[in-house]
């Protein structure tokens, strides 16, 4: 269905390489439908599909991504399995509030008899397909590949709101005022509420929202001095004045931010302790233990303290050597005025005594 500048395509049903009963979505049919739209600047792909053939989904997704129009995926019911591949290729994903999103491990159907070599080849193929999908999901969500892979391996079923929190969905169809993400002086603000979290420690999908098309316009990414009074009044009317208010309105987002901050803090603490352990010198065990656990300090501050301790210990050792030298009587040994063996023996004996002391 095409209009003056926009068009709509349906992706309802299974995705397959070929259709026997004309009820599957195939790349060939999709390419023909896409070509038949003519010159349009906007395309909406409505999705209600449990998935299907991953190669067919990749072909459809790439057809959409390479098209010159702005492509929006609208999830009307289920977006599962291979259908999520198509959605992730679109410029924007909008989900109905009661929609469902599902990802799972890559699976392959095997017919007939196979030997060990065949199984190894199947395993290699599964690994390659999985890597492609994980990379696509990571690009869409801004998350690490390891985290995305764990979601796949666990077979994750999400509501539209949950899929949005994890970065697969950009907005819900019945969203009210979206929570604006801002970087104010290095601190994360959401909906003008100070989360007290360094912006660099915010989840990837939160940081990426500022790089999305249109970011920097409207209220997103504005400094405090640039915030219009109307915006502030609007948020007061919504009851968005504290972090607790923010949590009530955007629970999934706040939970994700808090989890990311906790993980970041754990990683920083592990690095701090490891750095101190690597710098610790023999004789500074008590200082290192205190710096790590009793009175925690940064690795940089520990390095300064360790240098001061080493300097103090070195001065004490030098003073001890001086005292030993004085006690040895070496300073009382006069010059050897004799030419015989006796004078030389006295000098050697004095040196041996000093050496034994030292």
């Amino acid at each position: 269905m095409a209009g003056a500048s926009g068009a709509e395509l349906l992706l309802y049903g299974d995705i397959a390489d070929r259709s026997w009963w004309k009820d599957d979505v195939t790349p060939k049919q999709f390419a023909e439908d896409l070509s038949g739209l003519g010159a349009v600047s906007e395309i909406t792909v409505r999705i209600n599909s449990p998935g299907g053939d991953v190669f067919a989904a990749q072909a459809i997704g790439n057809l959409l991504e390479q098209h010159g129009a702005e492509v929006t995926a609208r999830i009307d019911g289920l977006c599962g399995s291979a259908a999520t591949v198509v959605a992730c290729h679109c410029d924007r994903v909008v989900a109905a509030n009661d929609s469902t999103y599902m990802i799972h491990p890559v699976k392959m159907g095997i017919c007939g008899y196979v030997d060990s070599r065949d199984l190894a080849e199947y395993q290699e193929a599964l690994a390659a397909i999985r890597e492609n999908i994980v990379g696509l999901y990571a690009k869409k969500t801004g998350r690490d590949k390891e985290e995305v892979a764990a979601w796949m391996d666990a077979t994750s079923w999400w509501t539209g709101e949950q899929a949005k929190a994890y970065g697969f969905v950009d907005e819900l169809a019945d969203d009210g005022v979206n929570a604006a993400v801002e970087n104010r002086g290095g601190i994360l603000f959401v909906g003008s509420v100070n989360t007290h979290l360094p912006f660099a420690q915010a989840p990837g999908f939160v940081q990426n929202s500022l790089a999305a098309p249109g970011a920097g316009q409207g209220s997103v990414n504005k400094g405090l001095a640039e915030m219009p009074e109307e915006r502030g009044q609007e948020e007061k009317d919504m009851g968005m004045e504290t972090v607790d208010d923010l949590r009530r309105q955007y629970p999934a987002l706040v939970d994700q931010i808090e989890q990311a901050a906790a993980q970041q803090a754990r990683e920083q603490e592990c690095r701090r302790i490891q750095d101190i352990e690597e710098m610790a010198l023999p004789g500074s065990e008590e200082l290192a233990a205190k710096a790590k656990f009793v009175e925690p300090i940064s690795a940089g501050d520990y390095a300064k303290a360790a240098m001061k301790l080493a300097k103090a210990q070195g001065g004490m050792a030098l003073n001890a050597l001086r005292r030993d030298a004085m006690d040895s009587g070496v300073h009382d040994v006069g010059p050897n005025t004799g030419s015989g063996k006796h004078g030389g023996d006295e000098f050697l004996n004095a040196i041996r005594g000093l050496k034994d002391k030292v």
Side-chain angles (χ1 to χ4, degrees):
M1 181 174 61
S5 62
E8 188 174 281
L9 295 172
L10 289 182
L11 200 162
Y12 277 22
D14 294 336
I15 301 172
D17 181 58
R18 60 176 60 89
S19 177
W20 295 101
W21 308 106
K22 306 299 182 182
D23 57 352
D24 293 325
V25 181
T26 68
K28 183 177 183 297
Q29 182 61 51
F30 201 89
E32 292 175 356
D33 292 343
L34 194 60
S35 177
L37 296 178
V40 293
S41 59
E42 297 178 0
I43 296 175
T44 298
V45 180
R46 307 196 74 98
I47 299 176
N48 182 30
S49 170
D53 189 311
V54 65
F55 298 131
Q58 288 170 333
I60 292 172
N62 282 302
L63 283 171
L64 291 169
E65 185 171 334
Q66 294 162 17
H67 196 279
E70 181 79 12
V71 181
T72 298
R74 298 191 72 92
I75 303 173
D76 295 330
L78 170 63
C79 182
S81 187
T84 65
V85 172
V86 176
C88 285
H89 276 285
C90 297
D91 298 304
R92 191 165 63 104
V93 179
V94 180
N97 196 53
D98 59 349
S99 62
T100 302
Y101 202 96
M102 185 273 285
I103 61 176
H104 66 85
V106 181
K107 300 179 180 180
M108 178 182 294
I110 300 177
C111 299
Y113 296 95
V114 297
D115 57 22
S116 59
R117 178 176 296 180
D118 294 329
L119 287 175
E121 290 178 354
Y122 287 137
Q123 188 68 31
E124 185 176 349
L126 285 172
I129 297 168
R130 180 179 185 271
E131 180 64 22
N132 282 335
I133 297 175
V134 167
L136 179 67
Y137 286 167
K139 179 181 177 181
K140 172 61 182 176
T141 63
R143 302 298 190 92
D144 293 334
K145 285 187 175 182
E146 293 76 12
E147 186 175 16
V148 172
W151 293 338
M152 284 181 61
D153 294 340
T155 301
S156 299
W157 289 83
W158 295 318
T159 63
E161 184 178 4
Q162 289 172 321
K164 179 184 175 185
Y166 292 129
F168 288 94
V169 170
D170 298 301
E171 62 182 89
L172 299 179
D174 56 354
D175 269 352
V177 178
N178 291 329
V181 175
E182 305 162 60
N183 181 356
R184 298 188 188 178
I187 301 299
L188 173 65
F189 277 71
V190 179
S192 276
V193 176
N194 187 350
T195 66
H196 303 286
L197 175 70
F199 189 81
Q201 297 178 14
F205 75 93
V206 174
Q207 298 185 41
N208 291 343
S209 66
L210 293 186
Q217 302 174 4
S219 62
V220 179
N221 203 23
K222 283 184 175 291
L224 182 59
E226 299 176 284
M227 294 296 292
E229 294 181 2
E230 293 82 3
R231 167 74 186 282
Q233 183 60 48
E234 181 182 358
E235 284 162 352
K236 286 184 179 180
D237 294 340
M238 293 171 59
M240 294 276 290
E241 297 181 352
T242 68
V243 174
D244 288 336
D245 294 335
L246 181 66
R247 182 178 287 105
R248 281 192 292 271
Q249 186 148 348
Y250 300 98
L253 175 62
V254 173
D255 179 65
Q256 192 59 41
I257 292 173
E258 290 176 340
Q259 289 185 31
Q263 179 63 26
Q264 183 78 9
R266 287 192 293 269
E267 292 174 356
Q268 289 178 342
E269 179 65 4
C270 288
R271 284 196 297 269
R272 184 187 71 84
I273 292 176
Q274 183 177 358
D275 290 342
I276 291 175
E277 290 177 345
E278 290 176 351
M279 289 187 289
L281 298 173
S284 64
E285 290 80 5
E286 183 177 351
L287 175 65
K290 184 177 180 181
K292 288 189 292 184
F293 307 114
V294 181
E295 297 179 6
I297 58 176
S298 68
D301 290 339
Y302 170 77
K304 296 177 183 178
M307 290 177 64
K308 291 180 180 179
L309 176 62
K311 183 177 180 181
Q313 291 176 335
M316 293 172 60
L318 182 58
N319 289 334
L321 286 173
R322 288 172 177 167
R323 286 195 300 271
D324 287 344
M326 294 292 294
D327 295 341
S328 70
V330 67
H331 295 291
D332 297 330
V333 177
N336 183 11
T337 56
S339 59
K341 182 178 179 181
H342 181 70
D345 289 343
E346 288 181 350
F347 178 77
L348 291 174
N349 289 335
I351 293 298
R352 293 192 185 98
L354 175 61
K355 181 179 180 181
D356 292 340
K357 289 282 187 179
V358 176

